[in-house]
Every structure is written in C-alpha cells, then in structure tokens.
Amino acid sequence: MGRAVEILGTTPGFLRSLDEAKLIIPQRSAGGHRRYSRYQLRIAARAREIVDQGTPLDAACRIIILEDQLEEALRINAELRRDHAG
C-alpha cells in the first residue's frame, strides 16, 4: 500500500475507503499487505480526481463504474461493427 500511496499522492485511508466501497479489491501478499494492479491504480487515481473536485466518494465510485461500463459497451459495439462490415 505504501508504494500505491506514493504513486497516487493520497493517503492509506483513501485507498482503504475504495476497498471498503468495493471499487477496487486488491490482492493480498502472504503477509497480508494490499497489492494493487496497474488498472486498480488507474481507477484509484480517477476516484481521487473526482473526489478532489468535491464529489462524495460513493458518487465518485458510481461515476467510475458507469464510465467503465460505457467504455466496455463502446468497445463491444466497435467489434460488432468491424465483424459486420466485412
């Protein structure tokens, strides 16, 4: 967690709150330390950005989930268009 805090410029408490909100669920080392993937760090950075703009954490989490769903839907749509264009 210490390295993630450094990378994001945030606090351990903020990262724990994302875990509690189930926005990101880090892997655990054998010693019980949280380990974050690059994707999870990107999500945490986006959450920090939204919260810093004054949005409550629960709303920020919902925004990120919706953004992720939209990105996935757009990707699937583009794939379907490619498949039917040929």
Side-chain angles (χ1 to χ4, degrees), residues 46-61:
R46 180 69 178 127
R48 176 85 266 164
E49 179 183 315
I50 295 169
V51 168
D52 284 350
Q53 293 172 358
T55 304
L57 182 62
D58 60 332
C61 291

Side-chain angles (χ1 to χ4, degrees), residues 8-81:
L8 298 171
T10 190
T11 64
F14 181 74
L15 288 177
R16 277 190 220 98
S17 68
L18 298 180
D19 192 358
E20 290 166 11
K22 305 283 190 258
L23 183 63
I24 56 174
I25 301 170
Q27 297 293 315
R28 297 283 184 152
S29 70
H33 299 283
R34 289 175 171 90
R35 295 190 181 262
Y36 298 92
S37 68
R38 287 188 174 120
Y39 174 75
Q40 289 172 328
L41 291 175
R42 281 197 313 270
I43 294 294
R46 180 69 178 127
R48 176 85 266 164
E49 179 183 315
I50 295 169
V51 168
D52 284 350
Q53 293 172 358
T55 304
L57 182 62
D58 60 332
C61 291
R62 187 69 185 136
I63 289 167
I64 291 166
I65 290 166
L66 290 170
E67 287 174 342
D68 202 45
Q69 289 173 343
L70 175 59
E71 186 178 320
E72 179 68 4
L74 292 172
R75 185 190 63 74
I76 291 168
N77 193 18
E79 281 180 20
L80 290 172
R81 286 185 179 172

